[in-house]
Amino acid sequence: MSRTNKVHLADRVARAAEAALAAKSFVSAIDILVGIGWLDPGALERWRRGQIDCLEGAVQANLSRVSEAMRLFRSWATAKGLFASPTEYVARTPRRETLRFSRSGNAAIEASYRTHWVSPELSEKKRERLAEKASPAPELVVVQPLNREWQCHRCGNAGDFLMMEDPGPACLRCVGLDDLEYLPSRDALLTRRAKAKSARYAVVVRFSRTRGRYERKGLLVEPRALADAQ
């Protein structure tokens, strides 16, 4: 990479990092890759759902460019005096697999990608709360389909709910969530109680044609948790 290109990339990395830090009080490698336009948010979401083997496979740049961007990011974070905070990245799947960033799977590279850099202006307690908030596995998302004639790509059956996987929609039985009970989001207090008591739960969403987006419709929770909440 020429000196001019390195300077240009350093500027792009710094701008993306500054924007993320101002918005969230921390910045991650993902913020940089999305911020400089190398990682499409849609591809990022598929990776989070375990549908892409490694994040580098979705990045629209060659590995040498990605490595240089990450090196520039770490140098920027160190120069700013940011605190390094190792963070877990877990797939939004029932199995909660650890997500992989690099093609090689090298432990040092993975650790570098997983590190969040936190503002030194935050107190120690605020940094701890931020780390706790960033580390939990993302919520499982189940879809209430508009098309009632969909078929599970694993068993060929259907149902009231589905979970999207890379090959296609999967029924709750095949993903191991068929024992959960549907709780519509009409009673906010009951929903909060049932969610707190349920070791396993999933958010139910349905696509709104009028608004052009998925909207939350309720939760799938353990029957015992729902009974206790009621």
Side-chain angles (χ1 to χ4, degrees), residues 2 53 57 73 93 168 172 179 227:
S2 69
D53 288 340
F73 169 44
T93 65
L172 296 192
D179 60 317

Side-chain angles (χ1 to χ4, degrees), residues 156-219:
N157 292 323
D160 294 332
F161 307 101
L162 62 86
M163 178 173 283
M164 287 304 303
E165 296 184 325
D166 197 21
C171 69
L172 296 192
R173 182 178 181 181
C174 286
V175 299
L177 297 177
D178 57 322
D179 60 317
L180 301 184
E181 187 170 339
Y182 179 50
L183 173 61
S185 54
R186 291 191 289 263
D187 186 329
L189 179 58
L190 178 60
T191 296
R192 287 197 298 270
R193 287 176 175 172
K195 180 180 176 180
K197 292 176 179 292
S198 188
R200 296 161 55 244
Y201 70 90
V203 175
V204 177
V205 299
R206 185 177 175 88
F207 188 76
S208 170
R209 290 194 176 101
T210 56
R211 294 184 175 88
R213 65 171 185 261
Y214 281 95
E215 297 183 337
R216 188 168 179 149
K217 292 298 179 181
L219 291 177

